[in-house]
Amino acid sequence: MTNWTRMRAIGATALLVAFLATCTSAEVEAADETKPKKPNKKKKDKAAPTPAPVKTASSTKSPPIPGLLAPGAKLNASQLAAHIDEVLNKRLAKEKVPASPRTTDEEFLRRVYLDITGQIPTSEQAIAFLDNKDENKRAKLVDDLLASKQFGERLADIWQSLLVERNSDNRRLAQYMPNLRKWLTEQFNANKPWDKMVHEILTASGDVTNNGAAVFFLANPSADKMTDTTTRMFLGVQLQCAQCHNHPFTDYKQDEYWGMAAFFMKTRAQGNVKAAAKENKGIVISETAAAKGKKAGLPESAKILPPKFLQDASPKIANDAPHRPVLANWMTSKTNPFFARAMANRLWGQYFGRGIVNPVDDMHDANPATHPELLSDLANQFAAHDFDIKYLVRAIVLSEAYQRTSRPVNNADVEPEMYARMAVKPLSPEQLFDAMTRVIGTPGKGGDKGKNKAAGKGQPTNARDQFVAFFGIEDGADPTEYAAGIPQVLRLMNSPQFNTTAAVARITGNSKVPAESIEKLYLTVLSRRPSKEETDRITRYLKESKDPPREALSGVLWALLNSSEFALNR
């Protein structure tokens, strides 16, 4: 019997009751925690030899509030984790807000796997961790996950979507996107320092088929779009609001915008992108002599000005010298007032569901940090450790703040910026697809991740990319809001892959004992063992079902895959 037949047979109300019966009380609590919030109304406007490092001049904006750590202090990851907890707990005590208790091992296991690798653990990995009696097993698991290739793949998913906006213009770049993703994955897995990565992105040249970083400039093909994206992603600044006029909420001036844009005025893509994509040819990115006074491809508001660092000095650059390396040196300097803070805040937001400054790419005096001294300490330690991303991630996830349960104490309605509990985060489209395929297998054939030759022109050709496009999340969406709508939910509920006896057979093996089969399903889908109540309830269902055992178990698998516990990272 298909799920659609079941739905028609028992009716919508009865289906809801049957579905909720499979949900644990913890799932219902988690679902309540994802009630609609105010939407995040973020601005939508967009967007050779290396010179010697540039010294940073004093900024005209308010300087960052100093951190609490002594100047020159260099903490290891465990020490920084303890410092994070000290700062947050002091604020909680001052506000008389109770902190939620530590997560169970089951909660921590699934959370840290999803956050660091973008995947859920296998049943074997879940059993190994849950049955491990080592007191340091959480720290050891974090080290293992940071060393896995999935760490780089997860960050590549995130940064590909940040660097390349999902719009109709960028569909033509589909054949080049694997080059960018491969490059990002390799850099993150090699733990290349963040300043070196950004420097390579900003100065990328050559054929995009050989240098994945150069794809960034194909996706942002004009000086204004390059300026919008680089300042948002690498400096945490919404500078695009100063493109046509002085910024309405900060002291950023229109001349400052076009002074930054001047660094990109000479960057060109040699060749027609549309034609090259059609003929499966490469495209070369380079810096050429800029035409004086020309505004080709730029908005009417464009100003042709000499290069100038944001709220800083105007460098002296020879007309025939590359401009981008000069900008890259300034931007990635340890003394840059924006760079380390922007990435520290973004990484914090990635793991906690909100930045210390939120939104993470709108850092300015009128949008202050909730814990300014802590942000300064995180940024300073990040720079002191030579922009080591794994170091900062390790410190964040080893903190007790990260390891708190998502359940509030006594159902207290506490502001999320207090970090009294962990925020509930719906799985991203990439996480959801990878979690489903880990359970039921990859659609299509092998490593192609389900290539679909029938996909339309300019459309994704593999199952994963098509799934991500269908479940696509709007740029700047709140990561704690459930963004999927009715079409997405119906697709999951009615997917024939969710109602498959083949998956049940693979998961449960030759087990003939209902309790054993149920436990294997729970460990595979939810990374935990079922409670006695859950086991008893499902065992009764299996005994009363008129379907063959594996078909009845496939209904259990369907319910687990469509549960809130599966769709949320708690």
Side-chain angles (χ1 to χ4, degrees):
M1 183 184 294
T2 65
N3 293 322
W4 180 244
T5 305
R6 287 193 186 99
M7 291 171 69
R8 290 187 296 175
I10 66 178
T13 303
L15 173 65
L16 179 60
V17 173
F19 173 71
L20 287 179
T22 69
C23 298
T24 65
S25 60
E27 289 181 73
V28 177
E29 290 172 16
D32 288 342
E33 290 163 9
T34 57
K35 60 182 181 288
K37 306 178 182 68
K38 292 183 180 179
N40 182 3
K41 297 181 180 179
K42 187 166 69 70
K43 301 279 182 188
K44 298 295 292 182
D45 326 312
K46 301 287 189 236
T50 302
V54 181
K55 291 185 178 180
T56 306
S58 298
S59 172
T60 59
K61 72 188 292 292
S62 300
I65 294 176
L68 300 172
L69 296 173
K74 189 173 182 180
L75 309 185
N76 62 34
S78 297
Q79 291 170 330
L80 182 56
H83 179 67
I84 290 170
D85 291 324
E86 182 182 1
V87 174
L88 295 182
N89 291 341
K90 188 174 293 186
R91 172 82 176 274
L92 290 172
K94 180 180 178 181
E95 302 290 338
K96 297 182 180 179
V97 173
S100 292
R102 210 176 199 232
T103 61
T104 63
D105 281 344
E106 291 84 354
E107 290 172 321
F108 177 79
L109 171 69
R110 192 169 189 274
R111 178 189 298 173
V112 79
Y113 257 91
L114 284 167
D115 280 343
I116 293 181
T117 71
Q119 297 183 353
I120 58 175
T122 64
S123 59
E124 294 80 9
Q125 290 168 332
I127 292 170
F129 179 79
L130 296 177
D131 293 347
N132 189 346
K133 304 302 181 184
D134 188 342
E135 292 183 357
N136 295 319
K137 67 180 183 179
R138 293 193 180 194
K140 291 178 179 178
L141 176 62
V142 168
D143 287 341
D144 289 343
L145 297 181
L146 290 174
S148 70
K149 67 183 182 65
Q150 287 80 19
F151 168 75
E153 291 173 351
R154 174 61 184 149
L155 283 178
D157 278 338
I158 294 170
W159 278 92
Q160 177 176 293
S161 64
L162 291 174
L163 297 175
V164 180
E165 184 185 5
R166 289 171 183 158
N167 57 35
S168 56
D169 288 338
N170 285 336
R171 286 181 183 174
R172 60 188 177 176
L173 305 180
Q175 72 181 82
Y176 304 118
M177 295 309 295
N179 300 336
L180 174 59
R181 190 172 191 275
K182 180 175 182 289
W183 184 87
L184 288 169
T185 300
E186 290 174 348
Q187 310 312 305
F188 285 125
N189 277 336
N191 203 26
K192 177 171 284 189
W194 182 237
D195 59 330
K196 300 294 190 296
M197 276 190 70
V198 173
H199 200 288
E200 289 186 24
I201 292 171
L202 292 176
T203 60
S205 298
D207 194 324
V208 295
T209 59
N210 299 322
N211 184 1
V215 175
F216 169 66
F217 290 96
L218 290 186
N220 300 272
S222 59
D224 57 321
K225 290 186 177 180
M226 293 178 202
T227 303
D228 297 346
T229 305
T230 55
T231 52
R232 282 180 57 218
M233 298 307 137
F234 307 135
L235 301 181
V237 172
Q238 296 270 354
L239 194 60
Q240 69 270 15
C241 295
Q243 182 189 106
C244 305
H245 45 71
N246 293 339
H247 198 295
F249 306 118
T250 73
D251 57 354
Y252 300 133
K253 308 300 182 186
Q254 186 184 15
D255 283 0
E256 288 184 301
Y257 177 94
W258 290 106
M260 286 288 285
F263 289 102
F264 299 110
M265 290 293 187
K266 296 170 62 178
T267 306
R268 299 284 187 275
Q270 305 299 316
N272 183 286
V273 177
K274 187 175 181 180
K278 187 175 182 181
E279 298 173 14
N280 201 25
K281 292 182 178 179
I283 300 172
V284 175
I285 304 297
S286 64
E287 287 200 36
T288 61
K292 284 192 175 183
K294 297 290 184 180
K295 296 184 180 181
L298 296 175
E300 287 295 322
S301 61
K303 292 185 176 183
I304 307 302
L305 299 173
K308 184 179 183 298
F309 302 129
L310 180 61
Q311 297 202 333
D312 209 321
S314 297
K316 294 181 180 179
I317 313 174
N319 290 334
D320 58 349
H323 284 24
R324 290 181 296 156
V326 178
L327 174 65
N329 283 349
W330 169 82
M331 188 176 287
T332 60
S333 168
K334 288 185 178 181
T335 58
N336 185 294
F338 305 96
F339 184 69
R341 286 170 57 82
M343 188 56 170
N345 187 55
R346 187 176 287 278
L347 282 173
W348 180 277
Q350 179 181 324
Y351 290 93
F352 278 98
R354 60 172 291 117
I356 296 176
V357 174
N358 206 57
V360 295
D361 57 1
D362 196 16
M363 303 176 78
H364 57 83
D365 290 348
N367 184 32
T370 58
H371 298 76
E373 296 88 356
L374 177 59
L375 179 56
S376 292
D377 286 334
L378 292 173
N380 292 338
Q381 290 301 306
F382 185 42
H385 285 264
D386 297 323
F387 302 103
D388 184 332
I389 292 175
K390 289 187 178 182
Y391 159 79
L392 193 53
V393 171
R394 183 180 287 105
I396 289 172
V397 301
L398 288 180
S399 69
E400 287 299 315
Y402 175 84
Q403 296 181 57
R404 285 177 185 141
T405 181
S406 59
R407 298 180 184 85
V409 176
N410 298 325
N411 293 318
D413 186 13
V414 180
E415 293 298 324
E417 60 266 24
M418 294 296 294
Y419 303 104
R421 63 181 178 92
M422 176 53 74
V424 176
K425 305 187 290 286
L427 270 59
S428 69
E430 294 88 352
Q431 288 175 318
L432 186 57
F433 181 89
D434 291 342
M436 290 189 326
T437 55
R438 173 149 284 187
V439 174
I440 60 180
T442 304
K445 296 181 180 180
D448 216 2
K449 290 199 175 180
K451 190 169 183 179
N452 181 3
K453 295 180 180 178
K457 187 176 182 180
Q459 298 297 320
T461 59
N462 67 64
R464 188 178 194 263
D465 289 346
Q466 289 173 347
F467 184 93
V468 169
F470 185 74
F471 282 77
I473 297 174
E474 184 181 355
D475 284 349
D478 186 337
T480 64
E481 287 186 9
Y482 188 77
I486 292 175
Q488 288 78 19
V489 173
L490 288 177
R491 177 168 173 172
L492 293 176
M493 292 181 70
N494 297 322
S495 172
Q497 291 174 291
F498 278 20
N499 187 35
T500 167
T501 56
V504 170
R506 179 172 52 79
I507 293 169
T508 61
N510 297 321
S511 178
K512 302 295 184 183
V513 181
E516 290 180 1
S517 297
I518 295 166
E519 179 173 295
K520 289 179 179 179
L521 286 176
Y522 267 75
L523 284 166
T524 301
V525 180
L526 303 180
S527 309
R528 67 175 177 86
R529 293 183 171 95
S531 66
K532 184 180 184 303
E533 181 186 0
E534 289 167 330
T535 300
D536 291 345
R537 184 169 62 242
I538 297 173
T539 300
R540 285 197 304 272
Y541 160 74
L542 294 175
K543 286 181 179 179
E544 295 169 2
S545 175
K546 295 179 181 179
D547 293 328
R550 278 187 176 166
E551 189 169 332
L553 281 170
S554 73
V556 176
L557 174 62
W558 175 83
L560 293 177
L561 287 169
N562 281 286
S563 67
S564 61
E565 187 172 351
F566 181 74
L568 300 175
N569 181 1
R570 299 183 293 119

Tab-separated table of all heavy atoms in Angstrom, residues 94-122:
chain	number	residue	atom	x	y	z
A	94	LYS	N	24.225	37.644	35.568
A	94	LYS	CA	23.850	39.041	35.771
A	94	LYS	C	22.370	39.255	35.468
A	94	LYS	O	21.670	40.003	36.170
A	94	LYS	CB	24.711	39.948	34.880
A	94	LYS	CG	24.397	41.421	35.013
A	94	LYS	CD	25.288	42.264	34.098
A	94	LYS	CE	24.949	43.732	34.201
A	94	LYS	NZ	25.797	44.557	33.285
A	95	GLU	N	21.878	38.598	34.407
A	95	GLU	CA	20.477	38.751	34.000
A	95	GLU	C	19.559	37.769	34.723
A	95	GLU	O	18.351	37.748	34.479
A	95	GLU	CB	20.356	38.536	32.488
A	95	GLU	CG	21.199	39.469	31.635
A	95	GLU	CD	20.700	40.893	31.648
A	95	GLU	OE1	19.499	41.085	31.965
A	95	GLU	OE2	21.484	41.806	31.354
A	96	LYS	N	20.160	36.904	35.585
A	96	LYS	CA	19.409	35.902	36.335
A	96	LYS	C	18.621	34.977	35.406
A	96	LYS	O	17.427	34.699	35.623
A	96	LYS	CB	18.473	36.574	37.343
A	96	LYS	CG	19.217	37.385	38.400
A	96	LYS	CD	18.268	38.007	39.411
A	96	LYS	CE	19.053	38.806	40.461
A	96	LYS	NZ	18.151	39.449	41.447
A	97	VAL	N	19.305	34.531	34.378
A	97	VAL	CA	18.709	33.617	33.392
A	97	VAL	C	19.324	32.235	33.582
A	97	VAL	O	20.548	32.091	33.529
A	97	VAL	CB	18.966	34.106	31.952
A	97	VAL	CG1	18.483	33.067	30.938
A	97	VAL	CG2	18.292	35.449	31.718
A	98	PRO	N	18.526	31.206	33.807
A	98	PRO	CA	19.081	29.855	33.975
A	98	PRO	C	19.509	29.266	32.634
A	98	PRO	O	18.805	29.409	31.630
A	98	PRO	CB	17.911	29.063	34.566
A	98	PRO	CG	16.681	29.759	34.054
A	98	PRO	CD	17.053	31.225	33.980
A	99	ALA	N	20.659	28.629	32.620
A	99	ALA	CA	21.153	27.982	31.410
A	99	ALA	C	20.590	26.572	31.310
A	99	ALA	O	20.421	25.883	32.323
A	99	ALA	CB	22.679	27.933	31.415
A	100	SER	N	20.300	26.147	30.102
A	100	SER	CA	19.835	24.774	29.886
A	100	SER	C	20.960	23.800	30.184
A	100	SER	O	22.141	24.143	30.057
A	100	SER	CB	19.350	24.594	28.448
A	100	SER	OG	18.177	25.342	28.210
A	101	PRO	N	20.633	22.579	30.590
A	101	PRO	CA	21.677	21.604	30.913
A	101	PRO	C	22.407	21.098	29.680
A	101	PRO	O	22.026	21.410	28.545
A	101	PRO	CB	20.895	20.476	31.581
A	101	PRO	CG	19.519	20.590	31.018
A	101	PRO	CD	19.284	22.063	30.809
A	102	ARG	N	23.425	20.320	29.914
A	102	ARG	CA	24.221	19.732	28.837
A	102	ARG	C	23.374	18.760	28.016
A	102	ARG	O	22.478	18.101	28.528
A	102	ARG	CB	25.402	18.980	29.457
A	102	ARG	CG	26.648	18.949	28.584
A	102	ARG	CD	27.773	18.279	29.343
A	102	ARG	NE	29.069	18.611	28.768
A	102	ARG	CZ	29.976	17.699	28.425
A	102	ARG	NH1	29.720	16.410	28.593
A	102	ARG	NH2	31.122	18.076	27.940
A	103	THR	N	23.673	18.678	26.736
A	103	THR	CA	22.976	17.733	25.872
A	103	THR	C	23.279	16.300	26.305
A	103	THR	O	24.305	16.013	26.927
A	103	THR	CB	23.441	17.854	24.416
A	103	THR	OG1	24.847	17.564	24.360
A	103	THR	CG2	23.177	19.205	23.838
A	104	THR	N	22.406	15.423	25.921
A	104	THR	CA	22.713	14.003	26.019
A	104	THR	C	23.740	13.674	24.935
A	104	THR	O	23.952	14.452	24.000
A	104	THR	CB	21.458	13.152	25.778
A	104	THR	OG1	20.990	13.386	24.437
A	104	THR	CG2	20.363	13.503	26.767
A	105	ASP	N	24.370	12.527	25.068
A	105	ASP	CA	25.322	12.109	24.034
A	105	ASP	C	24.634	11.969	22.677
A	105	ASP	O	25.227	12.277	21.634
A	105	ASP	CB	25.970	10.776	24.411
A	105	ASP	CG	27.082	10.935	25.439
A	105	ASP	OD1	27.556	12.068	25.629
A	105	ASP	OD2	27.468	9.924	26.052
A	106	GLU	N	23.376	11.521	22.683
A	106	GLU	CA	22.641	11.353	21.427
A	106	GLU	C	22.444	12.702	20.727
A	106	GLU	O	22.629	12.820	19.511
A	106	GLU	CB	21.282	10.695	21.689
A	106	GLU	CG	21.346	9.238	22.113
A	106	GLU	CD	21.583	9.043	23.608
A	106	GLU	OE1	21.810	10.065	24.310
A	106	GLU	OE2	21.543	7.887	24.067
A	107	GLU	N	22.057	13.709	21.498
A	107	GLU	CA	21.844	15.042	20.926
A	107	GLU	C	23.158	15.626	20.406
A	107	GLU	O	23.215	16.185	19.299
A	107	GLU	CB	21.237	15.974	21.970
A	107	GLU	CG	19.806	15.655	22.338
A	107	GLU	CD	19.324	16.476	23.512
A	107	GLU	OE1	20.100	16.704	24.461
A	107	GLU	OE2	18.146	16.882	23.494
A	108	PHE	N	24.199	15.516	21.213
A	108	PHE	CA	25.490	16.071	20.809
A	108	PHE	C	26.007	15.385	19.552
A	108	PHE	O	26.508	16.046	18.641
A	108	PHE	CB	26.516	15.915	21.931
A	108	PHE	CG	27.894	16.395	21.558
A	108	PHE	CD1	28.206	17.753	21.565
A	108	PHE	CD2	28.871	15.498	21.160
A	108	PHE	CE1	29.466	18.191	21.194
A	108	PHE	CE2	30.148	15.924	20.796
A	108	PHE	CZ	30.434	17.280	20.808
A	109	LEU	N	25.896	14.066	19.497
A	109	LEU	CA	26.399	13.308	18.357
A	109	LEU	C	25.786	13.802	17.051
A	109	LEU	O	26.502	14.121	16.101
A	109	LEU	CB	26.075	11.820	18.558
A	109	LEU	CG	26.348	10.888	17.362
A	109	LEU	CD1	27.833	10.749	17.133
A	109	LEU	CD2	25.693	9.522	17.611
A	110	ARG	N	24.481	13.874	17.011
A	110	ARG	CA	23.811	14.274	15.761
A	110	ARG	C	24.092	15.744	15.434
A	110	ARG	O	24.316	16.105	14.283
A	110	ARG	CB	22.306	14.029	15.890
A	110	ARG	CG	21.552	14.138	14.567
A	110	ARG	CD	20.128	13.632	14.720
A	110	ARG	NE	19.458	13.538	13.430
A	110	ARG	CZ	18.821	14.543	12.847
A	110	ARG	NH1	18.774	15.724	13.451
A	110	ARG	NH2	18.240	14.389	11.674
A	111	ARG	N	24.088	16.583	16.456
A	111	ARG	CA	24.326	18.018	16.246
A	111	ARG	C	25.703	18.277	15.663
A	111	ARG	O	25.863	18.996	14.677
A	111	ARG	CB	24.172	18.782	17.564
A	111	ARG	CG	24.454	20.272	17.456
A	111	ARG	CD	24.501	20.932	18.830
A	111	ARG	NE	23.222	20.816	19.513
A	111	ARG	CZ	23.014	21.177	20.783
A	111	ARG	NH1	24.030	21.644	21.510
A	111	ARG	NH2	21.825	21.049	21.337
A	112	VAL	N	26.729	17.696	16.268
A	112	VAL	CA	28.089	18.003	15.851
A	112	VAL	C	28.402	17.378	14.484
A	112	VAL	O	29.153	17.953	13.685
A	112	VAL	CB	29.099	17.573	16.934
A	112	VAL	CG1	29.372	16.073	16.913
A	112	VAL	CG2	30.389	18.361	16.821
A	113	TYR	N	27.819	16.226	14.204
A	113	TYR	CA	27.973	15.645	12.866
A	113	TYR	C	27.365	16.570	11.816
A	113	TYR	O	27.986	16.872	10.783
A	113	TYR	CB	27.310	14.267	12.790
A	113	TYR	CG	28.279	13.105	12.854
A	113	TYR	CD1	28.615	12.528	14.066
A	113	TYR	CD2	28.852	12.585	11.698
A	113	TYR	CE1	29.499	11.455	14.142
A	113	TYR	CE2	29.732	11.517	11.758
A	113	TYR	CZ	30.057	10.955	12.973
A	113	TYR	OH	30.944	9.901	13.023
A	114	LEU	N	26.140	17.013	12.041
A	114	LEU	CA	25.481	17.883	11.065
A	114	LEU	C	26.204	19.219	10.919
A	114	LEU	O	26.380	19.728	9.814
A	114	LEU	CB	24.024	18.110	11.466
A	114	LEU	CG	23.066	16.946	11.194
A	114	LEU	CD1	21.743	17.163	11.914
A	114	LEU	CD2	22.842	16.784	9.688
A	115	ASP	N	26.626	19.796	12.037
A	115	ASP	CA	27.263	21.113	11.983
A	115	ASP	C	28.644	21.075	11.336
A	115	ASP	O	29.010	21.987	10.593
A	115	ASP	CB	27.374	21.704	13.395
A	115	ASP	CG	26.067	22.311	13.874
A	115	ASP	OD1	25.189	22.561	13.039
A	115	ASP	OD2	25.927	22.545	15.096
A	116	ILE	N	29.418	20.038	11.609
A	116	ILE	CA	30.793	20.005	11.090
A	116	ILE	C	30.882	19.326	9.732
A	116	ILE	O	31.615	19.787	8.854
A	116	ILE	CB	31.737	19.311	12.095
A	116	ILE	CG1	31.874	20.177	13.357
A	116	ILE	CG2	33.116	19.073	11.480
A	116	ILE	CD1	32.810	19.595	14.406
A	117	THR	N	30.120	18.250	9.528
A	117	THR	CA	30.240	17.505	8.264
A	117	THR	C	29.039	17.656	7.350
A	117	THR	O	29.102	17.281	6.185
A	117	THR	CB	30.443	16.000	8.532
A	117	THR	OG1	29.225	15.435	9.029
A	117	THR	CG2	31.562	15.772	9.539
A	118	GLY	N	27.926	18.165	7.868
A	118	GLY	CA	26.725	18.281	7.050
A	118	GLY	C	25.989	16.968	6.894
A	118	GLY	O	25.007	16.900	6.152
A	119	GLN	N	26.413	15.923	7.584
A	119	GLN	CA	25.803	14.609	7.465
A	119	GLN	C	25.445	14.068	8.846
A	119	GLN	O	25.956	14.542	9.860
A	119	GLN	CB	26.758	13.628	6.777
A	119	GLN	CG	27.102	14.000	5.347
A	119	GLN	CD	27.984	12.952	4.685
A	119	GLN	OE1	28.450	12.017	5.330
A	119	GLN	NE2	28.220	13.114	3.390
A	120	ILE	N	24.560	13.065	8.855
A	120	ILE	CA	24.279	12.361	10.103
A	120	ILE	C	25.232	11.169	10.194
A	120	ILE	O	25.736	10.699	9.173
A	120	ILE	CB	22.815	11.887	10.166
A	120	ILE	CG1	22.488	10.954	8.981
A	120	ILE	CG2	21.866	13.074	10.204
A	120	ILE	CD1	21.108	10.346	9.043
A	121	PRO	N	25.489	10.678	11.399
A	121	PRO	CA	26.382	9.522	11.513
A	121	PRO	C	25.701	8.253	11.014
A	121	PRO	O	24.468	8.156	10.992
A	121	PRO	CB	26.658	9.446	13.018
A	121	PRO	CG	25.459	10.074	13.647
A	121	PRO	CD	25.025	11.158	12.711
A	122	THR	N	26.497	7.288	10.613
A	122	THR	CA	25.944	5.972	10.300
A	122	THR	C	25.529	5.303	11.608
A	122	THR	O	25.921	5.739	12.705
A	122	THR	CB	26.985	5.096	9.594
A	122	THR	OG1	28.081	4.857	10.502
A	122	THR	CG2	27.514	5.766	8.328
